[in-house]
């Protein structure tokens, strides 16, 4: 088999980055070797995102740009959410694309690339269905993504995901457990379970006791040192999940709970299936179970119909919850979604003002959350060298980034760090090797 060079560029969420690892893994069985320079590639894959208009603009810009960078006989394939959304129109909208594939047919890429090499643009965009179990070429040898569910069966008014990724499809639990066991055997330190609505796992399986809490408990029992997950939906977060998180020290003390809006009226317009009060009740339960738990969130400002009073309610929730961090976005209408067809759009200037107000409030409240950790010891899974100050960085069990003085050889190890400020500290036992994650290393409330 002739060896060919493969270059993959990815936009979007963790699920998409993991799909790129599957693309690389699958294509390596067909003689493709990953390269870092697009100028050396025989096959270029753009794995795209369609959640915001901005990411689409970036992909289109990049398609134009690569015309001057790629080898003359190279093939460019565009796939992922944007390709699923625009389909064959991508050929006329963006010159230079040789083939297009969807979100649930990565297995077809080698064949599509071969056909495109004959000179004819080809496209295969089936309706998203099933679950592709493909080999994975992982980027890291200590942190691994494991997809547990694809798609989403909710219908949030602003979201394009159900259209481009299809309805919820849970992966077989035995396959998930086997994959995590193998990762543990191969020395991986953290797995992150992935799903567009990760805690809806099992809702499409007709076996009474199979749900997200059930799966989490089994994944924890594999003994893999650290487990995180993203992205849960507040309406699907049950008390059992919080109990499993609290009972198993290898589960992170972090939960990402997308609020989107602090106003029940706007949540109803968005079709989010929870009220402001229900959301705050879940947060209350999580904090009663673990007072230090890091809660992070997503917020959309300026959804059609959002008044100043609604927006103030969002600021009020931020004040009450004291999130560890917030991903905030100005509402951007996505084609064929209900929100895009709504009247009463908020002016761009006003959206911008609201976005800045959220950022300001977040700065204040997340610092308050972080300050609780000063003087305490956390356990950091070291990732690499920080950009400045010659420090190393990694994530602690709350999935907060921590910097400290160390050496590159510590990457992939657990290290105990005493925090001197919100996110910097010093190694407690600089000469000690990797520590295994267990309950003794966890910060307990009040310690
Ligand atoms: S739950 Fe998340 S992925 Fe599903 S429709 Fe709503 S925003 Fe989109």
């Amino acid at each position: 088999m002739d060896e060919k060079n493969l270059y993959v560029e990815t936009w979007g969420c963790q699920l998409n980055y993991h799909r790129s690892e599957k693309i690389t893994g699958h294509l390596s069985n067909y003689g493709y070797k990953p390269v870092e320079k697009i100028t050396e590639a025989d096959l270029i894959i753009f794995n795209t995102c369609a959640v915001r208009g901005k990411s689409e603009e970036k992909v289109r810009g990049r398609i134009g740009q690569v015309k001057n960078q790629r080898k003359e006989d190279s093939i460019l394939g565009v796939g992922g959410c944007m390709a699923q959304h625009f389909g064959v129109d991508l050929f006329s909208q963006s010159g230079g694309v040789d083939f297009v594939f969807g979100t649930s047919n990565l297995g077809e890429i080698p064949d599509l690339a071969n056909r495109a090499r004959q000179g004819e643009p080809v496209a295969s965009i089936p309706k998203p269905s099933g679950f592709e179990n493909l080999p994975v070429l992982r980027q890291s040898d200590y942190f691994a993504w494991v997809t547990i569910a694809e798609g989403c069966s909710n219908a949030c008014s602003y979201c394009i995901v159900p259209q481009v990724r299809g309805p919820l499809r849970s992966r077989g639990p035995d396959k998930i457990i086997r994959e995590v066991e193998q990762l543990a055997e191969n020395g991986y330190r953290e797995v992150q379970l992935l799903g567009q609505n990760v805690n809806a796992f099992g809702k499409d399986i007709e076996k009474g006791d199979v749900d997200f809490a059930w799966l989490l408990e089994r994944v924890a029992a594999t003994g893999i040192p650290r487990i995180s997950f993203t992205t849960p939906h507040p309406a699907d977060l049950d008390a059992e999940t919080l109990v499993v998180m609290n009972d198993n020290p290898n589960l992170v003390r972090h939960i990402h709970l997308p609020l989107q809006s602090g106003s029940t009226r706007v949540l109803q317009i968005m079709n989010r299936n929870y009220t402001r009060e229900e959301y705050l009740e879940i947060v209350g339960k999580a904090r009663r179970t673990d007072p230090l738990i890091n809660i992070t969130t997503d917020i959309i400002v300026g959804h059609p119909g959002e008044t100043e009073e609604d927006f103030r309610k969002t600021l009020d929730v931020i004040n009450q919850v004291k999130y560890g961090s917030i991903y905030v976005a100005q509402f951007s209408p996505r084609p064929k979604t209900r929100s895009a067809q709504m009247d009463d759009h908020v002016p761009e200037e006003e959206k911008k003002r609201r976005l800045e107000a959220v950022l300001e409030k977040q700065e204040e409240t997340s610092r308050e959350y972080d300050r609780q950790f000063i003087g305490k010891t956390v356990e950091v899974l070291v990732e690499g060298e920080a950009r400045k100050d010659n420090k190393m960085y990694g994530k602690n069990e709350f999935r907060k980034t921590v910097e400290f003085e160390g050496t590159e050889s510590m990457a992939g190890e657990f290290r105990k760090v005493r925090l001197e400020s919100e996110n910097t500290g010093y190694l407690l036992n600089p000469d000690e090797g990797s520590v295994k994650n267990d309950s003794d290393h966890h910060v307990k409330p009040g310690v």
Side-chain angles (χ1 to χ4, degrees):
M1 205 187 307
D2 282 352
E3 197 168 79
K4 294 183 255 355
N5 289 342
L6 167 70
Y7 173 88
V8 181
E9 205 163 305
T10 314
W11 287 263
C13 60
Q14 290 94 330
L15 272 139
N16 223 27
Y17 278 87
H18 184 41
R19 287 162 64 79
S20 287
E21 292 183 326
K22 291 182 181 172
I23 292 173
T24 321
H26 184 52
L27 284 167
S28 64
N29 287 345
Y30 289 80
Y32 285 93
K33 178 176 69 97
V35 289
E36 289 189 2
K37 287 191 185 143
I38 201 162
T39 47
E40 294 171 358
D42 301 297
L43 174 59
I44 301 163
I45 299 285
F46 281 178
N47 187 13
T48 65
C49 169
V51 166
R52 293 196 219 302
K54 273 213 173 117
S55 34
E56 279 178 14
E57 277 167 35
K58 279 189 198 156
V59 176
R60 285 187 204 285
R62 195 69 186 114
I63 293 173
Q65 201 179 40
V66 296
K67 282 181 198 151
N68 307 322
Q69 301 172 333
R70 58 193 273 198
K71 288 202 306 196
E72 225 170 84
D73 58 351
S74 64
I75 296 292
L76 169 63
V78 178
C81 292
M82 191 176 158
Q84 186 76 35
H85 188 58
F86 290 102
V88 289
D89 291 348
L90 270 182
F91 293 125
S92 52
Q93 291 170 358
S94 314
V97 177
D98 298 301
F99 72 95
V100 180
F101 58 97
T103 55
S104 66
N105 62 334
L106 306 183
E108 278 188 60
I109 297 175
D111 179 49
L112 291 170
N114 282 343
R115 284 165 56 201
R117 236 172 255 289
Q118 314 304 314
E120 274 298 298
V122 279
S124 174
I125 305 137
K127 230 172 151 188
S129 64
F131 194 99
E132 284 188 295
N133 286 297
L134 294 173
V136 180
L137 198 65
R138 297 192 186 274
Q139 298 272 320
S140 162
D141 52 12
Y142 58 89
F143 173 89
W145 286 304
V146 174
T147 306
I148 66 163
E150 283 275 6
C152 178
S153 293
N154 288 341
C156 301
S157 62
Y158 52 84
C159 183
I160 202 169
V161 165
Q163 288 178 43
V164 291
R165 296 277 178 140
L168 173 75
R169 284 106 62 202
S170 300
R171 188 177 174 202
D174 295 345
K175 288 204 171 89
I176 298 170
I177 301 298
R178 190 66 213 120
E179 186 173 348
V180 177
E181 280 169 352
Q182 271 166 0
L183 289 163
E185 278 159 26
N186 292 336
Y188 276 79
R189 304 302 174 98
E190 177 171 349
V191 292
Q192 184 166 65
L193 308 180
L194 298 179
Q196 253 96 32
N197 179 2
V198 76
N199 55 338
F201 170 84
K203 290 198 160 175
D204 57 331
I205 299 178
E206 279 182 27
K207 263 196 217 158
D209 53 353
V210 175
D211 64 9
F212 183 63
W214 175 93
L215 181 74
L216 263 192
E217 201 157 31
R218 268 140 201 90
V219 172
T222 62
I224 191 114
R226 186 177 281 181
I227 303 151
S228 52
F229 54 89
T230 197
T231 299
H233 189 291
D236 291 315
L237 186 68
D238 53 21
E240 287 78 43
T241 299
L242 296 172
V243 170
V244 173
M245 286 176 74
N246 199 47
D247 286 352
N248 292 279
N250 49 352
L251 271 151
V252 288
R253 297 168 72 182
H254 165 232
I255 191 150
H256 187 73
L257 268 189
L259 168 69
Q260 308 303 10
S261 168
S263 153
T264 298
R265 201 182 70 83
V266 176
L267 288 170
Q268 274 162 357
I269 299 175
M270 290 175 163
N271 196 28
R272 288 289 291 169
N273 295 326
Y274 53 86
T275 63
R276 163 200 174 87
E277 291 70 29
E278 283 163 347
Y279 182 93
L280 287 171
E281 203 181 308
I282 302 160
V283 168
K285 258 186 211 158
R287 286 260 156 84
R288 279 194 296 281
T289 316
D290 178 356
L292 279 181
I293 193 168
N294 175 20
I295 301 174
T296 55
T297 201
D298 298 326
I299 287 173
I300 297 173
V301 292
H303 186 275
E306 183 189 72
T307 63
E308 179 62 22
E309 199 189 332
D310 295 316
F311 175 64
R312 299 230 149 259
K313 290 181 177 162
T314 300
L315 291 182
D316 180 61
V317 173
I318 299 174
N319 231 352
Q320 292 191 47
V321 177
K322 314 227 179 306
Y323 293 104
S325 65
I326 298 176
Y327 301 89
V328 54
Q330 287 179 215
F331 170 75
S332 101
R334 306 308 299 125
K336 298 190 203 154
T337 59
R338 278 198 309 109
S339 296
Q341 271 123 51
M342 288 176 188
D343 298 329
D344 208 4
H345 278 258
V346 177
E348 286 306 309
E349 267 308 296
E350 181 55 21
K351 284 189 209 168
K352 203 164 165 243
R353 187 194 66 80
R354 292 181 190 176
L355 181 124
E356 275 155 17
V358 168
L359 291 174
E360 204 178 302
K361 178 64 63 196
Q362 179 227 328
E363 174 88 20
E364 177 194 317
T365 57
S366 64
R367 195 166 285 166
E368 215 176 301
Y369 170 79
D370 288 346
R371 269 201 292 261
Q372 307 174 88
F373 292 88
I374 299 176
K376 290 176 180 157
T377 301
V378 289
E379 190 176 62
V380 178
L381 177 54
V382 187
E383 292 181 26
E385 219 177 321
R387 275 197 206 136
K388 45 181 191 181
D389 300 337
N390 294 327
K391 289 195 166 153
M392 297 297 287
Y393 77 98
K395 288 200 184 58
N396 66 17
E397 61 269 47
F398 300 87
R399 292 212 108 243
K400 289 284 252 178
T401 300
V402 172
E403 291 186 4
F404 59 93
E405 269 177 33
T407 58
E408 272 183 68
S409 62
M410 293 173 184
E413 290 184 357
F414 284 109
R415 289 302 187 118
K416 283 190 251 179
V417 174
R418 169 111 353 128
L419 291 169
E420 294 172 296
S421 76
E422 286 91 341
N423 57 7
T424 60
Y426 58 90
L427 284 172
L428 264 195
N429 304 303
D431 300 327
E432 208 176 74
S434 180
V435 287
K436 197 173 166 341
N437 194 340
D438 65 43
S439 54
D440 289 347
H441 300 128
H442 276 234
V443 177
K444 290 291 175 200
V447 171

